[in-house]
Amino acid sequence: MSDRLPPLTALRAFEAAARHLSFAKAAAELNVTPAALSFQIKSLEDHLGHPVFHRLNRAVELTEAGRALAPGVTDGFAALSAAWRNTQRLSDNKTLTVTAGPAFTSKWLAPRLFEFAQAHPEIELRFSASLRLIDFDRDEVDVAIRFGLGNDEGVFSEPLIREWMTPMMTPELAAKYDTPEKLDGAPLIHDESITFFKQPTDWPAWCRAAGISIDTTSGLRFSQADHALDTAISGAGVVLGRVSLATRALEQGRLVAPFKTGLLTQAQFRFICPEGTQTRPHVAAFKNWIFSEIQASRVFEEGRDLVAAEAG
């Protein structure tokens, strides 16, 4: 038996027909006639020396040989497609696709994109707000901004923002609750999106760091950090907010963070891209810009007592 592969067109016809279990649907997908597709599959069977489909009355089904061949052919075409897309992207320095979590996109990235667009009109930015794991070999993404405790292997990864939390409220509420002790009885807002942290970073943890004892059992609870911040901006209460997401609201004075104590978490945002692509012009431009913006926002750390979160 020869190890010589059959023509690529015959394998492509087989892959489509095996996926649809229909010659007609496969022919339509490949934009050929059913007769042409049937000819390609017949040539594949002649090359193999075995039938790969049972031809039924109004359908087809894979033979044992077809079932053995199908997974490898499917994976092979998927790998070819991914390699082709990645190769095309290497020559594209004008389009930059970035993915980040929904909260970071809406609260940090989106308000600043106009500034990057003005500085780099030659780059077309595309954003995907998503938390799912990224496979740079499969997904058409150049840069991922990710948050958490994990280690990134096999990619270029650089810490972007260290996360810390502190009480935030409108200036009007800050005039009423002007000391940490006065928060006892205040309408507290709980961000429960941070429950995955190894060490607690909730209201009781902040109170321990600040050396106060108040009732933190009541209040509104949110599963999304940006929703908790929006509620605080509306004046409904005091949130133990993540500074990374609240930077623009703090800059604009819609929120204030009047107390010195900040609770430093173990989690951080990271800038991630395929190893070696960090020096490509459009990726490097975005990297330099975002790190410069982050550096400017570190003004909110000045004069703070940042206390590492500890187990309660």
Side-chain angles (χ1 to χ4, degrees):
M1 184 179 295
S2 172
D3 289 334
R4 184 172 56 87
L5 289 174
L8 195 63
T9 51
L11 288 170
R12 192 73 182 96
F14 167 75
E15 189 278 330
R19 182 161 29 87
H20 290 291
L21 288 179
S22 166
F23 284 9
K25 290 180 180 178
E29 177 184 307
L30 299 177
N31 199 27
V32 299
T33 65
L37 184 124
S38 183
F39 175 80
Q40 291 294 341
I41 291 179
K42 183 65 170 62
S43 71
L44 175 70
E45 292 175 326
D46 290 343
H47 190 97
L48 180 64
H50 295 283
V52 292
F53 287 104
H54 293 302
R55 276 76 165 172
L56 307 177
N57 220 5
R58 299 197 173 189
V60 293
E61 63 180 29
L62 290 165
T63 64
E64 183 180 2
R67 290 193 299 272
L69 181 62
V73 172
T74 298
D75 291 345
F77 276 106
L80 279 172
S81 296
W84 181 251
R85 289 195 302 269
N86 289 339
T87 303
Q88 285 182 311
R89 280 166 47 204
L90 288 176
S91 61
D92 181 4
N93 290 321
K94 295 183 178 179
T95 303
L96 183 72
T97 302
V98 178
T99 180
F104 187 76
T105 298
S106 67
K107 293 300 181 187
W108 199 97
L109 275 176
R112 293 170 170 80
L113 288 184
F114 178 70
E115 299 162 16
F116 180 83
Q118 277 193 317
H120 297 279
E122 75 283 3
I123 298 175
E124 178 186 347
L125 270 177
R126 298 177 181 174
F127 275 89
S128 172
S130 171
L131 293 173
R132 70 180 180 85
L133 294 175
I134 292 297
D135 182 344
F136 287 109
D137 291 332
R138 177 198 64 207
D139 302 314
E140 296 184 20
V141 170
D142 299 296
V143 172
I145 308 298
R146 286 295 180 258
F147 176 72
L149 303 166
N151 296 319
D152 308 305
E153 297 181 358
V155 294
F156 174 86
S157 178
E158 190 168 327
L160 183 60
I161 309 174
R162 66 173 182 171
E163 187 67 279
W164 56 281
M165 307 174 72
T166 193
M168 302 176 190
M169 64 199 89
T170 61
E172 292 76 16
L173 284 182
K176 182 177 180 180
Y177 306 111
D178 57 355
T179 68
E181 291 77 10
K182 289 184 180 180
L183 291 175
D184 199 16
L188 300 184
I189 299 170
H190 302 262
D191 170 15
E192 297 188 332
S193 69
I194 43 77
T195 54
F196 71 91
F197 289 172
K198 291 182 178 178
Q199 306 293 355
T201 51
D202 51 12
W203 273 109
W206 183 84
C207 291
R208 288 193 298 272
I212 64 172
S213 178
I214 65 173
D215 181 11
T216 61
T217 58
S218 62
L220 298 170
R221 297 178 184 273
F222 293 89
S223 63
Q224 301 295 325
D226 50 339
H227 297 170
L229 282 172
D230 286 339
T231 302
I233 291 171
S234 75
V238 184
V239 66
L240 185 63
R242 290 166 50 184
V243 177
S244 63
L245 304 182
T247 299
R248 183 50 60 99
L250 292 169
E251 289 171 344
Q252 295 174 341
R254 292 179 294 157
L255 289 177
V256 295
F259 308 132
K260 288 186 64 175
T261 301
L263 195 61
L264 188 61
T265 77
Q266 295 178 337
Q268 60 186 354
F269 283 93
R270 292 104 62 209
F271 179 100
I272 306 169
C273 63
E275 188 66 57
T277 65
Q278 68 271 20
T279 58
R280 293 181 59 204
H282 61 326
V283 176
F286 184 75
K287 178 177 177 288
N288 292 338
W289 172 80
I290 196 170
F291 274 89
S292 175
E293 288 291 310
I294 291 297
Q295 185 63 38
S297 69
R298 289 191 175 130
V299 64
F300 295 109
E301 294 186 12
E302 295 175 4
R304 304 276 179 182
D305 295 328
L306 297 185
V307 180
E310 298 180 355

